[in-house]
Amino acid sequence: MTEDAASRPEARAPRGFADRRGRDLVAERRLVQRVSEVYERWGFEPLDTGAFEYADALGKFLPDADRPNEGVFALQDDDDQWMALRYDLTAPLARFAAQNWETLPKPFRRYAFGPVWRNEKPGPGRFREFVQCDADTVGSDRPEADAEIIAMACEGLQAAGLAAGQAVIRVSNRKLFDGLFEAGGVTDPIQKLTALRAIDKFDRLGWEGVSLLLGEGRLDESGDYTKGANVPKTVAATIEAFLASAGDGALSRAETLNRIAQAGGLGATGEGALEELQAIDRALTAMRVADDAVRFDPTIVRGLEYYTGAVFEAELLLETIDDKGRAVRFGSIGGGGRYDDLVARFTGERLPATGFSFGVSRLASALRAAGRGDEDAVRGPVVVIVFSQDDMQHYLDAVSELRNAGIAAELYLGRAGMKAQMKYADRRGAPAAVILGGDEIAAGQVTIKDLDAGRALAAGISDNEAWKAERPGQRIAPRAELVATVRSIVDAARTAS
């Protein structure tokens, strides 16, 4: 290896940061558009905040004072203040609300979408950079505000392409566990948060894994060790009994609340949480949200520190497989809850708020793993084949006519021959290729290859000579009918997809 070659950097993408081409980007764009339309129909206005926030404004526990990058990507500005890429869209909203509360309509209802970044371990369907689409109501403490966010999330899931029974939103209240902790003498905030994060892994680790995290800690399959909450064994036993009240998912919301109440040990705080859930249930029922679309599940706590009351999590129920055909569980595709203390970090005054966030990148990946990505396949442009430099004016005229008619079109600008150009059009996913050779130009005609029809017809012709004789998918039209002929092919391809 030469010294020059040895000094070249290796072309590689950082772990958890994916390169995305047309299909993936179109899928995410369509999801954002469909969900945003739901948010706007429910009366939420769009808001966009910057990618960076000051690290202290993000509200995340940052133990490394020299470089606060625990969970976030941070850098120091030229004024020595630490900035971090936003890890969600909620903390920036809290900062915005604190800055502008006097001039905002109250309650303030906003939706937002965009990339967020988390400095955490990547995995299947879990990235360090991904797109979220949020809706939040700031300034209302009514349980109906939570119910409205939940009902709107159900409609958003439907708009994203999920039918009834393909997703469920599970709802609980963080104050149920606050009551359990108070009754068990667990008062340290860090210990409580560690315990809640352990409980949040119940659906993935089961009770055995959660019990280890509630105790000394747990060593996972990769060899990473997670320090436990070290709660008293009596508290862990109460939590086990409490989690068992969730049942198997077949209970109605009212029946689940009855089971939670019967588990006991909630204290005054927990009883108040039950009343809030009952009010949410009444509002959901009034909005005709079915029990199988939204369930109450006391195992839902959400991992972020700032939730103070109702919490909700959207779970994908579709069967999904990876690129090797193996079953894979995506689980959560969105979530949210009530965070009444987040704005108070800036103002000192409690300001109630509630919201929900779709993991757009995660949902798009899950739909593709469920075989639902074909509808988002990217159709390439119509490709105009180039034969001779002398006839370039004819090619430029043709591609301009197509574009002016609203048809995506591309003039081939490489230097390959016709066979390679046709392969190029096929790789681009082009619905058609336009051929203006010398014979066509002289005759005032154009040859158009319907590439979709050609592929379909060629699949049924095994003999190469027969294929040449049939010329599947090929049309000859007067040059003046170029646009009309191509449009008929493009429209047919669009209808078929």
Side-chain angles (χ1 to χ4, degrees):
M1 182 182 294
T2 67
E3 183 177 345
D4 181 59
S7 65
R8 295 172 187 160
E10 179 186 353
R12 66 202 188 281
R15 290 189 311 121
F17 294 87
D19 296 320
R20 295 171 297 159
R21 290 186 64 190
R23 181 187 67 172
D24 297 330
L25 293 174
V26 168
E28 290 188 7
R29 188 187 306 155
R30 288 178 179 172
L31 284 175
V32 168
Q33 178 184 355
R34 292 165 184 170
V35 174
S36 296
E37 288 173 355
V38 172
Y39 290 163
E40 290 191 8
R41 192 163 58 248
W42 284 66
F44 288 74
E45 70 167 77
L47 173 69
D48 186 26
T49 58
F52 275 93
E53 296 281 341
Y54 285 116
D56 60 355
L58 283 174
K60 195 172 180 68
F61 180 60
L62 304 171
D64 188 346
D66 294 328
R67 187 173 184 271
N69 64 343
E70 183 71 22
V72 297
F73 293 97
L75 57 87
Q76 201 165 19
D77 203 358
D78 55 10
D79 61 358
D80 295 331
Q81 295 190 73
W82 280 99
M83 302 188 302
L85 287 169
R86 62 191 183 200
Y87 64 84
D88 70 2
L89 299 174
T90 308
L93 169 64
R95 187 268 306 157
F96 175 84
Q99 272 187 294
N100 301 280
W101 190 243
E102 292 303 318
T103 62
L104 294 176
K106 304 171 184 59
F108 178 55
R109 298 154 66 88
R110 85 88 174 88
Y111 78 89
F113 59 86
V116 298
W117 297 266
R118 294 186 184 176
N119 189 2
E120 60 187 12
K121 186 177 180 180
R126 187 176 295 277
F127 307 102
R128 286 172 167 167
E129 178 185 30
F130 51 95
V131 178
Q132 289 187 330
C133 189
D134 292 19
D136 296 77
T137 298
V138 182
S140 175
D141 61 358
R142 292 179 177 271
E144 291 80 7
D146 300 298
E148 182 185 57
I149 289 286
I150 296 167
M152 184 174 64
C154 288
E155 189 172 319
L157 288 170
Q158 294 172 6
L162 295 174
Q166 295 181 335
V168 63
I169 297 180
R170 304 184 189 277
V171 180
S172 188
N173 194 309
R174 285 279 278 262
K175 288 185 285 190
L176 292 173
F177 284 99
D178 288 341
L180 289 179
F181 291 145
E182 288 172 10
V186 178
T187 58
D188 179 68
I190 302 303
Q191 187 179 25
K192 289 195 292 185
L193 180 61
T194 305
L196 286 172
R197 287 176 173 165
I199 296 163
D200 191 39
K201 297 178 174 64
F202 179 75
D203 64 334
R204 182 164 56 88
L205 302 180
W207 174 249
E208 181 179 353
V210 171
S211 65
L212 291 173
L213 292 173
L214 289 173
E216 293 292 330
R218 176 179 179 271
L219 189 71
D220 68 19
E221 295 80 358
S222 68
D224 291 341
Y225 183 78
T226 303
K227 187 177 179 181
N230 278 309
V231 301
K233 291 184 178 180
T234 54
V235 174
T238 302
I239 292 174
E240 181 181 13
F242 184 68
L243 295 180
S245 69
D248 58 4
L251 301 176
S252 68
R253 291 191 291 263
E255 290 169 336
T256 302
L257 291 180
N258 287 335
R259 278 205 181 185
I260 294 172
Q262 291 168 6
L266 295 177
T269 301
E271 293 293 342
L274 270 181
E275 292 177 4
E276 291 175 8
L277 290 173
Q278 289 167 348
I280 290 173
D281 182 35
R282 287 193 296 271
L284 289 172
T285 301
M287 287 185 281
R288 295 177 175 80
V289 177
D291 282 316
D292 59 352
V294 176
R295 299 174 186 162
F296 286 154
D297 182 347
T299 67
I300 301 299
V301 295
R302 303 291 293 164
L304 290 174
E305 182 179 357
Y306 51 60
Y307 290 119
T308 59
V311 286
F312 9 98
E313 190 161 289
E315 179 186 358
L316 185 72
L317 302 180
L318 277 174
E319 292 184 3
T320 54
I321 56 174
D322 62 16
D323 54 5
K324 296 182 180 178
R326 299 172 299 193
V328 60
R329 182 179 180 277
F330 266 84
S332 175
I333 51 175
R338 179 162 286 280
Y339 50 97
D340 291 346
D341 294 334
L342 200 55
V343 179
R345 296 183 61 256
F346 301 95
T347 64
E349 297 180 6
R350 206 166 202 241
L351 187 62
T354 184
F356 183 87
S357 173
F358 280 99
V360 176
S361 303
R362 188 167 177 79
L363 178 54
S365 296
L367 290 173
R368 189 160 55 252
R372 298 283 298 278
D374 291 343
E375 64 206 50
D376 289 316
V378 178
R379 298 303 300 176
V382 172
V383 174
V384 176
I385 304 297
V386 171
F387 293 93
S388 166
Q389 183 68 33
D390 294 338
D391 293 324
M392 186 60 70
Q393 184 65 55
H394 293 279
Y395 312 141
L396 290 169
D397 288 344
V399 77
S400 295
E401 287 176 31
L402 292 169
R403 290 170 179 163
N404 291 336
I407 298 171
E410 171 187 355
L411 179 65
Y412 178 77
L413 293 175
R415 294 188 179 275
M418 178 179 175
K419 186 176 180 180
Q421 291 188 52
M422 293 303 297
K423 285 185 177 179
Y424 171 83
D426 192 49
R427 283 190 172 185
R428 291 283 278 132
V434 174
I435 298 172
L436 282 167
D439 292 343
E440 282 90 357
I441 293 172
Q445 295 177 329
V446 59
T447 298
I448 302 167
K449 282 189 175 290
D450 183 337
L451 296 180
D452 285 335
R455 282 186 284 265
L457 292 170
I461 301 175
S462 57
D463 182 74
N464 191 45
E465 292 303 318
W467 187 89
K468 288 181 179 179
E470 290 284 342
R471 293 177 177 243
Q474 184 164 299
R475 305 187 193 183
I476 298 176
R479 173 65 180 81
E481 296 179 12
L482 166 66
V483 170
T485 305
V486 170
R487 188 185 299 282
S488 67
I489 292 172
V490 171
D491 289 346
R494 195 174 288 140
T495 300
S497 63

